[in-house]
Amino acid sequence: MMEEVIRVRNLFKKYGNITAVDGISFDVRKGEIFAMLGPNGAGKTTTVEILECVRKPTSGEISVLGEDIGSKEGANRIKRKIGVLPQDFNALGRLTVRENLEFFAGIYDKHLSISELLDMLGLQEKEKERFDKLSGGLQQRVGLAAAFINDPDLVFLDEPTTGLDPEIRRATWHFIREMKARGKTIFLTTHYMEEAEQLSDRIAIIVKGKIAALDTPSNLISSYGGSKSLVFKNAGEAAFGTLRRFFETARMDGNDVILPIENPRDIQIALNALFEMGLNFEMEVKSPNIEYVFLKLTGYRIKETGEVE
């Protein structure tokens, strides 16, 4: 049995008559990347803040790194053994990148090599620049370095690639995987579905304070992702109306028409119908992914910006 780094049983958090977290239970295993996904207001931020010992639960049994978060001494020990990248990370604006990391390192009894972290995150050329002169994406990478500076056993990453372009985002994924390979346990919250699918060993999807599903990405896709779909790009209302005569499951997504495929014969029926109407279109096949799972369980679609539609 794998060692548990986080153990949560029957966690509730209430604000007056509002229940933000509604009796959830889950474990996070040593050395895994565990993602928690959910629409805004679902309870994921509250859950994470409780695990970070920032917020107190209303009730429940919660341990982090073997420590009871209800104990003041335990909570203090937890805070020294974890790393945190908050979504609104900020640092000392007038200090350089290296000076900021030296400042954070000085808070702890031990720390990783600052030069190594700068190298791993591609910040070597920026180490002498003031933090307040950096772009938002570079500031985020400094925050990522700061989250790992104390050589933590467990790291909480909240939207770690916000503001990063696709190339740097994938480089950041490589860094996160490398830290996992060093034995770090990582608790990830993100609105980028591809990020969760690519990085996570297991994903919990939380909806209205309850965990709707928790499993590996592949198992979640198998259970909730549904079938493959044909996407008719910019096919418009005419194509939608034609396909709806044969398939009740056809739907519009902007000006695209989406058709779930239940069996291979459906493809030929759809193509014949559209060709007979003389319609022009481009077609692609989409396999189900974590975004499909998220949409099915929450009813929300995620934009590329990370915003919930």
Side-chain angles (χ1 to χ4, degrees), residues 157-178:
L157 301 179
D158 186 3
E159 305 289 347
T161 62
T162 297
L164 303 184
D165 63 45
E167 182 179 352
I168 300 301
R169 180 177 297 156
R170 279 165 175 74
T172 302
W173 293 356
H174 177 76
F175 170 78
I176 292 170
R177 290 190 184 104
E178 189 165 337

Side-chain angles (χ1 to χ4, degrees), residues 122-264:
L123 290 169
Q124 314 97 310
E125 295 181 0
K126 302 293 182 180
E127 65 173 299
K128 295 182 179 180
E129 288 195 27
R130 279 175 36 168
F131 181 81
D132 60 5
K133 301 298 183 182
L134 299 176
S135 67
L138 287 171
Q139 289 182 352
Q140 190 76 353
R141 286 152 72 187
V142 175
L144 196 58
F148 285 91
I149 193 70
N150 61 319
D151 196 17
D153 300 313
L154 170 65
V155 184
F156 293 90
L157 301 179
D158 186 3
E159 305 289 347
T161 62
T162 297
L164 303 184
D165 63 45
E167 182 179 352
I168 300 301
R169 180 177 297 156
R170 279 165 175 74
T172 302
W173 293 356
H174 177 76
F175 170 78
I176 292 170
R177 290 190 184 104
E178 189 165 337
M179 299 312 290
K180 176 197 169 182
R182 297 188 182 191
K184 308 301 181 187
T185 305
I186 297 168
F187 194 113
L188 172 70
T189 54
T190 179
H191 278 122
Y192 293 112
M193 297 294 109
E194 183 188 7
E195 182 163 280
E197 187 172 338
Q198 289 288 327
L199 291 179
S200 305
D201 295 290
R202 292 187 301 145
I203 296 174
I205 297 177
I206 186 169
V207 184
K208 296 180 179 178
K210 294 180 178 290
I211 291 181
L214 194 167
D215 213 325
T216 64
S218 60
N219 285 347
L220 288 173
I221 291 168
S222 176
S223 298
Y224 301 100
S227 58
K228 291 184 178 181
S229 296
L230 290 180
V231 180
F232 298 96
K233 306 291 290 185
N234 296 312
E237 293 284 351
F240 174 66
T242 298
L243 292 176
R244 284 287 288 185
R245 289 165 35 207
F246 301 92
F247 305 100
E248 291 184 359
T249 54
R251 60 183 175 84
M252 291 287 291
D253 183 8
N255 203 38
D256 297 342
V257 181
I258 313 296
L259 178 63
I261 296 300
E262 301 300 331
N263 61 69

Side-chain angles (χ1 to χ4, degrees), residues 228-302:
K228 291 184 178 181
S229 296
L230 290 180
V231 180
F232 298 96
K233 306 291 290 185
N234 296 312
E237 293 284 351
F240 174 66
T242 298
L243 292 176
R244 284 287 288 185
R245 289 165 35 207
F246 301 92
F247 305 100
E248 291 184 359
T249 54
R251 60 183 175 84
M252 291 287 291
D253 183 8
N255 203 38
D256 297 342
V257 181
I258 313 296
L259 178 63
I261 296 300
E262 301 300 331
N263 61 69
R265 187 168 177 272
D266 292 345
I267 300 175
Q268 194 61 52
I269 293 172
L271 292 177
N272 286 342
L274 294 175
F275 287 143
E276 286 180 8
M277 294 293 294
L279 298 174
N280 296 318
F281 57 86
E282 294 181 6
M283 184 185 74
E284 66 179 52
V285 179
K286 273 199 172 180
S287 297
N289 54 24
I290 286 297
E291 185 170 357
Y292 280 73
V293 175
F294 186 88
L295 176 63
K296 184 168 185 178
L297 291 175
T298 69
Y300 291 95
R301 185 183 301 279
I302 298 294

